């Protein structure tokens, strides 16, 4: 649209100090007022000028007119890489000079290098705030046996109980892993995803850090039917050739479920109970301990506590897997093999060719044996006769 | 043995395999090397001498022993036994650790990207808006690829991580990040498709195209004295109305370059004003090719945007686009 004599028509309105005064209060020194179109235009010109000046160097041009364009040719980006690497090298060489760093709590180590069941001490549990219960008015009396006392209106969980239950749970996880069971680690609260993924990785199980879809066990075929499964041997090597059998097979269920926030996962625990799947859960003072098979009384609101418990159970699973693999190396299969699996039906062309050649050589062997042994050998003149003989042998 | 024939037993063996017709077999010449040269000729009426069979030909020291076909059956039996043994060692497990999320591939992608981001979070980053422009796959595109029930919120989180990873300085971009991002890029990056820049040709002409309502105009600008020719007519001849004449050359008038350029224009379609406004846009575009620095000035003059207004269509239930029939109480 062509606007003629804009300045004459609108100048008085835009440039009066009264119109600009309320804007100055809300605008910082760095941000321009949206009303000052003249100022914006000047910026545009500057930006375009800068852009034109750096036309030779435009490797990644800015997305809009207001972003100042960089003056970085390819040579400069290589220099940037060099200088960064040099900086990193210097930091590694001289970064610690003049400083003495005392041993301290590093939060990331709980996830990168979780503690094992043998590292569980009351000091560790206390430091990770596992003893903090909820307000006394909110308690579940079924948890009375796990409570040490009251402080400042909240219940304090007895850490010796926590340690004992945690060690028991660890033993269960180890044994289930040793027997080739499928362990599912569930933690659906914000921030529990990393812990759950790491624990599943160690125990070679499954993880779930987003909402449990109700019916994943009771109506598993509908919900998990499309998820891929595989056939493995005792050495955890995938064995191909069973794809068509897996297609018709029923959906997998976990053999043990570790839930780090049972208060939000009633449906999951209910489904597990209905299908005789044992569960381990972190039970706070306000939680119901009967929801899980093996409760671990601890603070479920502290991420640090959850990471300790999740880490310990993950390590326990890792130990179980190691025992299973050692037995497998000796030729011992610690799990009951999958029932109703048949020898693979040679879906691949190579396998089918192999079968054909074996079959063919079998025919030839049988025929030549017949020709050698008999005085009047039977001559097969038609291919149809050959096929009939093949059918008979089958 | 005669030069042409093989022993009958051998012929029968070949025939039973179904390889050759009997007529051909007779014509196969027998090589003297393979057979014992001292084998005497026999009469067809005589019984087949056992000495003629391959097994009992006196072996010399140079030939290999005959094939024992009966061992194959044992091999097959062994294979079957092995298969049965293998079945006793097998179990079925999920292919992915995210099996119980019902969207294993999408969850695995998220976990992979999150891990990568954490690993390379300290690498230097280009300023916001300066990363190479990438068109990430849309949700529908990704859903078709993985065939899983993923929602827009979850996919938006994946794209947010990709956006951040894309801002790692290109000189320090790790290879595994590039590989992970490639999965989410469209096959054709629409940002790579750039329009061919218009250039000034060897006679100093630049071309611009403009449209307004149903009119379309093409204008060629060349440095000159200020002559204007539109459809073979001068400005005054073409546009009777002063406003329209001004509009047609507004790009030059507002930048005070009326006497610097000559215009040659072709315009068709629509009415007088539509054609004038179409010319305005065409002249502005042609002028931008000659002097790109004038863009903010021309934008302020209002001659750079293509006016999208067009005649509104008539709708059912109304007399015209907006006019409704007389309201009746009952």
């Amino acid at each position: 649209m062509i606007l003629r004599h804009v300045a004459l028509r609108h100048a008085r309105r835009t440039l009066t100090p009264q119109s600009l005064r309320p804007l100055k209060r809300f605008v910082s020194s760095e941000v321009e007022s949206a009303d000052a179109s003249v100022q914006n235009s000047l910026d545009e010109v500057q930006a375009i000028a800068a852009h034109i000046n750096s036309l030779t160097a435009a490797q990644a041009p800015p997305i809009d007119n207001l972003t100042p364009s960089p003056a970085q040719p390819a040579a400069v980006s290589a220099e940037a890489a060099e200088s960064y690497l040099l900086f990193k090298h210097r930091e590694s060489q001289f970064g610690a000079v003049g400083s003495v760093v005392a041993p301290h709590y590093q939060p990331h180590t709980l996830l990168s290098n979780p503690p094992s069941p043998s590292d569980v001490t009351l000091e560790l549990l206390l430091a990770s705030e596992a003893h903090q219960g909820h307000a006394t008015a909110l308690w579940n009396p079924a948890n009375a046996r796990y409570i040490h006392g009251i402080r400042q209106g909240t219940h304090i969980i007895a850490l010796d109980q926590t340690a004992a239950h945690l060690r028991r749970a660890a033993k269960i996880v180890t044994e289930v892993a040793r027997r080739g069971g499928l362990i599912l680690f569930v933690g659906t609260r914000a921030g529990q995803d990393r812990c759950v993924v790491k624990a599943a990785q160690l125990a070679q199980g499954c993880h779930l850090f987003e909402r449990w879809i109700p019916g994943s066990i009771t109506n598993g075929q509908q919900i998990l039917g499309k998820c891929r499964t595989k056939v493995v041997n005792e050495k955890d090597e995938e064995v191909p050739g069973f794809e068509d059998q897996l297609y018709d097979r029923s959906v997998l269920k976990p053999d043990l479920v570790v839930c780090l926030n049972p208060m939000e996962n009633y449906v999951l625990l209910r489904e597990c109970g209905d299908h005789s799947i044992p569960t381990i859960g972190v039970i706070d003072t306000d939680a119901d301990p009967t929801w899980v098979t093996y409760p671990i009384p601890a603070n479920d609101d502290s991420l640090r506590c959850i990471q300790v418990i999740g880490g310990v159970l993950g390590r326990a699973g890792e130990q179980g897997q190691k025992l299973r693999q050692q037995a497998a190396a000796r030729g011992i299969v610690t799990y009951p093999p999958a029932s109703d699996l048949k020898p693979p039906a040679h879906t691949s062309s190579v396998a089918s060719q192999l079968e054909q050649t074996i079959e063919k050589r079998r025919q030839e062997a049988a025929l030549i044996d017949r020709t050698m042994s008999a005085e009047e050998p039977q001559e097969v003149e038609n291919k149809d006769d050959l096929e009939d003989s093949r059918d008979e042998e089958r | 043995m005669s030069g042409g024939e093989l022993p009958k037993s051998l012929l029968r063996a070949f025939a039973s395999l179904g390889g050759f017709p009997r007529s051909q077999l007779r014509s196969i010449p027998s090589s003297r090397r393979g057979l014992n040269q001292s084998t005497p000729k026999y009469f067809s009426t005589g019984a087949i001498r056992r000495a003629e069979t391959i097994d009992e030909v006196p072996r010399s020291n140079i030939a290999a022993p005959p094939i024992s076909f009966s061992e194959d059956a044992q091999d097959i039996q062994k294979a079957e036994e092995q298969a049965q043994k293998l079945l006793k060692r097998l179990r079925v497990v999920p292919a992915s650790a995210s099996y119980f999320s019902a969207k294993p591939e999408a969850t695995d992608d998220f976990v992979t990207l999150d891990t990568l981001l954490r690993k390379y979070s300290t690498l230097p980053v280009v300023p916001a808006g300066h990363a190479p422009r990438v068109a990430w796959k849309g949700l529908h595109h990704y859903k078709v690829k993985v065939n899983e029930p993923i929602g827009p919120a979850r996919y938006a989180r994946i794209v947010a991580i990709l956006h951040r990873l894309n801002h790692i300085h290109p000189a320090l971009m790790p290879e595994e990040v590039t590989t992970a991002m490639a999965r989410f890029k469209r096959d054709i990056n629409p940002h790579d498709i750039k329009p061919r820049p218009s250039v000034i040709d060897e006679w100093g002409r630049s071309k611009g195209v403009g449209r307004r309502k149903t009119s379309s105009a093409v204008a060629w600008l060349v440095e000159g004295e200020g002559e204007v020719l539109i459809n073979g007519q001068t400005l005054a001849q073409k546009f009777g109305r002063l406003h329209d004449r001004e509009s047609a050359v507004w790009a030059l008038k507002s930048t005070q370059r009326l006497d610097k350029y000559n215009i040659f224009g072709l315009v068709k379609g629509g009415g007088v004003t539509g054609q004038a406004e179409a010319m305005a846009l065409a002249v502005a575009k042609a002028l931008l090719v000659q002097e790109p620095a004038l863009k903010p000035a021309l934008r302020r003059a209002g001659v750079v945007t293509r006016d999208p207004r067009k005649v509104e269509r008539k709708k059912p239930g109304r007399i015209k686009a907006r006019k409704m029939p007389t309201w009746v109480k009952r």
Side-chain angles (χ1 to χ4, degrees), chain B residues 87-139:
Chain B
L87 287 179
K88 287 181 188 158
R89 294 174 6 228
L90 298 180
R91 62 197 167 121
V92 182
V93 295
S96 155
S98 314
Y99 180 78
F100 291 98
S101 65
K103 23 184 168 334
E105 243 188 272
T107 312
D108 282 344
D109 282 341
F110 175 77
V111 168
T112 314
L113 289 173
D114 202 41
T115 316
L116 275 177
L117 176 60
R118 220 174 310 113
K119 186 173 172 187
Y120 296 115
S121 59
T122 52
L123 286 181
V125 156
V126 296
H130 288 275
R133 287 199 86 176
V134 178
W136 302 111
K137 272 188 182 144
L139 173 64

Side-chain angles (χ1 to χ4, degrees), chain A residues 216-231:
Chain A
S216 297
I217 293 174
T218 51
N219 193 19
Q221 200 54 49
Q222 278 293 317
I223 292 167
L224 304 178
K226 285 185 187 161
C227 302
R228 202 173 79 84
T229 50
K230 61 183 180 183
V231 172

Side-chain angles (χ1 to χ4, degrees), chain A residues 210 230 234 236 335 338, chain B residues 89-91 93 154 157 302:
Chain A
E210 286 171 345
K230 61 183 180 183
E234 76 278 17
D236 298 339
Y335 51 84
Chain B
R89 294 174 6 228
L90 298 180
R91 62 197 167 121
V93 295
R154 300 223 177 159
R157 276 194 284 168

Side-chain angles (χ1 to χ4, degrees), chain A residues 286-320:
Chain A
D286 61 345
D288 190 341
T290 58
W291 281 11
V292 297
T293 320
Y294 303 104
I296 301 172
N299 180 10
D300 63 359
D301 296 306
S302 162
L303 259 185
R304 190 170 160 181
C305 170
I306 292 295
Q307 282 169 5
V308 164
I309 291 172
V312 163
L313 295 178
R315 284 279 184 221
E318 190 189 32
Q319 287 169 9

Side-chain angles (χ1 to χ4, degrees), chain B residues 166-221:
Chain B
N166 195 36
H167 277 71
I168 295 173
H169 199 284
L172 295 158
M173 180 74 80
E175 212 181 288
E176 51 180 344
V177 172
T178 316
T179 323
M181 290 200 300
R183 258 176 71 83
F184 291 89
K185 290 186 180 173
R186 291 190 209 171
D187 294 333
I188 300 163
N189 189 358
H191 300 302
D192 291 342
I193 302 164
K194 289 186 178 95
R196 221 174 343 114
S198 322
V199 289
I200 304 172
D201 66 6
E202 64 256 30
W203 291 298
R205 306 179 301 188
S206 64
K207 183 172 120 173
V209 173
R211 287 184 191 92
R212 175 83 215 275
K213 284 190 184 176
T214 50
S215 314
S216 58
V218 183
W220 282 270
L221 235 66

